[in-house]
């Protein structure tokens, strides 16, 4: 089973991601994915403030499942963290390239989770091939 994320980015920089298990969403366009996510009314709730300094957050996100980490992207507190700073720059750039989002987000997520004591386990590559039975190994090699 393979697992990746599909990111859908709005022109204002807001985005969401959808689990793409076994490539099931590979043939779905970004426009079709965007229709699955209703527009939320940002005016309905006040902007979130950084829990560390009170500055308005650029982004707030739940960390990976069961970690109970609330991730905050604060332009004041996170300016010295390399992955966060790169993400802040992308987020503020009106000419941002949506194709950069997956790498920037995942680097920020990794950096933030590391600061909370978590480490990302690398995804396994292809499953290992089954070993050759010993009776099929050429002589002198087994």
């Amino acid at each position: 089973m393979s697992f990746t994320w599909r990111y859908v980015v709005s022109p204002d920089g807001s985005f969401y991601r959808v689990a793409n298990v076994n490539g099931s969403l590979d043939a779905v366009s970004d426009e079709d994915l965007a229709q699955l996510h209703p527009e939320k009314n940002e005016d309905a709730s006040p902007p979130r403030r950084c829990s560390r300094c009170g500055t308005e957050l650029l982004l707030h996100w739940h960390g990976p499942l069961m970690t109970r980490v609330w991730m905050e992207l604060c332009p004041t507190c996170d300016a010295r963290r390399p992955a966060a700073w790169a993400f802040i720059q992308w987020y503020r750039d009106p000419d941002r390239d949506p194709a950069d989002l997956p790498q920037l987000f995942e680097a920020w997520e990794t950096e933030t989770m590391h600061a909370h004591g978590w480490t990302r386990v690398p995804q396994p590559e292809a499953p290992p091939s089954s070993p050759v039975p010993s009776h099929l190994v050429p002589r002198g090699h087994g």
Side-chain angles (χ1 to χ4, degrees):
M1 178 170 88
S2 68
F3 180 88
T4 58
W5 290 107
R6 279 285 305 271
Y7 289 80
V8 180
V9 184
S10 300
D12 68 353
S14 63
F15 66 93
Y16 67 96
R17 65 185 185 175
V18 179
N20 187 17
V21 178
N22 291 332
S24 60
L25 298 175
D26 288 351
V28 179
S29 70
D30 285 349
E31 292 77 20
D32 289 341
L33 281 176
Q35 290 178 0
L36 298 174
H37 193 267
E39 290 293 321
K40 59 183 176 181
N41 183 356
E42 292 293 333
D43 296 330
S45 61
R48 290 210 185 230
R49 299 279 174 190
C50 177
S51 64
R52 298 164 284 176
C53 73
T55 299
E56 186 174 324
L57 294 172
L58 294 177
L59 179 67
H60 50 90
W61 200 273
H62 287 282
L65 291 176
M66 297 182 288
T67 63
R68 296 185 179 175
V69 172
W70 183 251
M71 301 184 340
E72 298 178 330
L73 184 62
C74 175
T76 303
C77 295
D78 297 326
R80 290 195 172 106
R81 295 175 49 214
W85 180 245
F87 196 25
I88 290 167
Q89 295 299 100
W90 177 88
Y91 203 85
R92 289 180 165 171
D93 183 356
D95 298 321
R96 70 184 68 85
D97 183 355
D100 294 337
L101 177 61
Q103 181 180 358
L104 290 167
F105 180 86
E106 290 174 22
W108 169 67
E109 181 181 52
T110 299
E111 183 179 73
T112 301
M113 295 305 296
H114 187 265
H116 287 274
W118 292 89
T119 301
R120 184 182 299 269
V121 176
Q123 291 283 333
E125 293 183 20
S129 59
S130 59
V132 177
S134 60
H135 69 281
L136 297 176
V137 175
R139 290 181 190 233
H141 291 82

